[in-house]
Amino acid sequence: MTDFDATRAAFHLPADTVYMNGNSLGPLPIAAQSRVADCIKNEWGTMLITAWNKAGWMQQPKKIGNRLARLIGGADGSVVAGDTLSIKVFQALAAALSLAQPGRVRILSDTGNFPTDLYMAQGLVDALGKGLCIDCVAPDAVADALDETVAVLMLTHVDYRTGRMHDMAALTAAAQAKGIVVIWDLAHSIGALDLDLAACGAELAIGCTYKFLNAGPGAPAFIYVRPDLSDQIKPVLSGWLGHASPFSFEQTYTPGMGIDRMRVGTPAILQMAALDAALDVWDSVDLADLRAASVSLSERLIQAIAATCPELILASPKEPSMRGSQVCFSHPEGYAIMQALIAHGIIGDFRAPNIIRFGITPLFQSARDMDHVAKTLGTIMKNRLWDEPKFKVRAHVT
Ligand SMILES: *Cc1c(COP(=O)(O)O)cnc(C)c1O
């Protein structure tokens, strides 16, 4: 059994704060402070450029990739870390298009997808100029929209706004039966769910590490390529570190073998150090235990808020199996309500137009935290404590 008291002790959590936003920016793992400091002082500071070899900096993206692979049910060598998720969307979609059946021009996604995924897809489609088009259908219409005209299905597994979760295995199988290449964005899934990518068989997956994995702002993203395909795909971001022999400094690009070709340029070593430390916590976590704890905390929060705040409408699916690891409510004054809650030491967030969002992160949250959130929210709603001008001024980042 996973010891959630031990995982909670692994984080720096400010006193008098209940953190309900680990789905957006995870808190600081205590070990990350000394790991980053050590990397700065003893590696960069002391070894200087020799650290690329001596401290193994150049291998970090793949070593960390293997640690990430375990968390999504991928084999060793199927994942590499680097860049940001937006970049990985572009790279994955280009790779998927290089695998797609000739003559197909549709990229299918859904209207709940995170905007940057769609923006990056649009940019790629425009740059390729091959007459490709992006079709976004309602999330529950995806299965019916799969047909022989679709080249690539690109979906985010868990909806960032509502927490609605697609059936990854079923949609992948249905798409592949029609010859469609499948990409899953696991931004809200890795570190939140017990995933089995190898069994699901999707061609590609991507995600970020600063959300449920707690690797810090700007932490590297990752890409997974199904091992039988990684020597076939054509890298569009053909950077030197994805080259077969970067230090031969050849004039022309030859892709490296396997997942190596998904590397682009110099890895962000300080962020990799923080990510490596953040992953230590996960060594003691059983993902089935984590999911069970997440469902239990989510159900408790939903029931408690229904009792204390009848005017808030549950915007997440009621059925736990249809939900990722977040719980959301809608209210026209959602922004002000969240600001009032933050002023009371409970940090969640708001997503336009009207969604109050709580991330459920069993590594550092308890049942008592859920009761405290519901009780405080009830006080705020009952006494209209949100109804103050200062809570209605929109900040740059919501
Ligand atoms: C958080 C998130 C992103 C963010 O992309 P960055 O390049 O890391 O800023 C992209 N896609 C999805 C689905 C996300 O949830």
Side-chain angles (χ1 to χ4, degrees):
M1 277 301 275
T2 305
D3 178 356
F4 289 111
D5 290 330
T7 59
R8 188 183 173 89
F11 291 94
H12 173 75
L13 294 161
D16 304 322
T17 300
V18 175
Y19 196 53
M20 301 294 291
N21 222 335
N23 57 322
S24 201
L25 177 70
L28 171 66
I30 290 167
Q33 300 174 89
S34 55
R35 188 77 58 88
V36 173
D38 179 67
C39 181
I40 289 177
K41 188 160 178 281
N42 299 323
E43 296 179 7
W44 181 18
T46 307
M47 299 179 196
L48 294 160
I49 199 167
T50 67
W52 285 107
N53 288 317
K54 271 198 204 144
W57 283 357
M58 201 47 99
Q59 284 70 47
Q60 278 292 66
K62 260 180 95 174
K63 257 175 66 187
I64 287 179
N66 285 337
R67 300 187 79 182
L68 295 170
R70 182 186 84 81
L71 298 174
I72 58 174
D76 259 17
S78 62
V79 173
V80 70
D83 314 302
T84 71
L85 179 49
S86 300
I87 301 289
K88 283 338 206 187
V89 170
F90 190 89
Q91 192 183 36
L93 183 55
L97 288 167
S98 79
L99 294 171
Q101 309 240 349
R104 297 194 184 190
V105 294
R106 290 174 64 214
I107 296 161
L108 184 67
S109 190
D110 74 36
T111 51
N113 207 345
F114 193 86
T116 202
D117 294 44
L118 300 174
Y119 301 160
M120 295 305 287
Q122 193 61 58
L124 177 64
V125 161
D126 291 349
L128 289 174
K130 287 185 181 162
L132 298 163
C133 67
I134 303 164
D135 279 346
C136 284
V137 299
D140 56 7
V142 170
D144 287 338
L146 299 169
D147 63 33
E148 272 85 6
T149 66
V150 178
V152 174
L153 174 65
M154 182 181 89
L155 292 174
T156 296
H157 183 212
V158 175
D159 187 302
Y160 73 102
R161 250 192 246 123
T162 62
R164 174 206 38 77
M165 179 162 68
H166 278 304
D167 185 336
M168 192 157 113
L171 280 176
T172 302
Q176 290 178 338
K178 305 257 155 120
I180 300 167
V181 180
V182 180
I183 305 172
W184 287 104
D185 187 328
L186 303 177
H188 291 275
S189 308
I190 188 167
L193 296 161
D194 192 3
L195 299 165
D196 193 349
L197 209 53
C200 139
E203 283 85 352
L204 293 135
I206 48 185
C208 54
T209 62
Y210 51 81
K211 291 174 179 163
F212 289 94
L213 294 186
N214 319 301
F222 67 88
I223 186 166
Y224 161 91
V225 181
R226 207 175 71 196
D228 59 305
L229 300 171
S230 53
D231 286 338
Q232 289 177 40
I233 53 175
K234 202 168 161 291
V236 69
L237 300 174
S238 42
W240 72 305
L241 291 186
H243 191 280
S245 177
F247 289 90
S248 303
F249 295 102
E250 287 163 10
Q251 292 288 304
T252 50
Y253 181 78
T254 311
M257 294 304 279
I259 198 71
D260 279 341
R261 65 179 60 185
M262 294 290 102
R263 293 181 64 162
V264 183
T266 302
I269 292 301
L270 299 181
Q271 300 271 206
M272 294 264 173
L275 171 54
D276 202 35
L279 289 173
D280 288 352
V281 179
W282 293 95
D283 289 342
S284 65
V285 174
D286 178 301
L287 293 172
D289 291 348
L290 179 87
R291 175 61 175 162
S294 159
V295 168
S296 152
L297 292 174
S298 303
E299 292 290 284
R300 190 173 181 120
L301 185 65
I302 290 170
Q303 278 156 28
I305 289 182
T308 58
C309 311
E311 61 276 60
L312 294 182
I313 297 164
L314 182 66
S316 301
K318 259 204 191 71
E319 170 59 43
S321 67
M322 310 276 289
R323 204 169 58 217
S325 201
Q326 67 183 63
V327 170
C328 309
F329 298 86
S330 65
H331 189 283
E333 293 293 343
Y335 185 81
I337 293 167
M338 182 49 74
Q339 298 317 302
L341 202 53
I342 292 170
H344 282 78
I346 295 170
I347 304 180
D349 67 9
F350 170 80
R351 283 293 172 262
N354 60 358
I355 300 282
I356 298 169
R357 192 169 74 146
F358 298 113
I360 305 298
T361 48
L363 292 195
F364 55 87
Q365 288 168 344
S366 65
R368 257 208 355 245
D369 291 335
M370 302 301 117
D371 298 345
H372 178 63
V373 171
K375 193 164 163 233
T376 309
L377 194 52
T379 306
I380 288 170
M381 295 309 294
K382 194 160 140 246
N383 303 302
R384 293 180 66 90
L385 298 181
W386 53 266
D387 197 2
E388 281 194 51
K390 68 174 179 192
F391 292 142
K392 297 182 186 176
V393 182
R394 298 267 172 129
H396 181 59
V397 176
T398 63

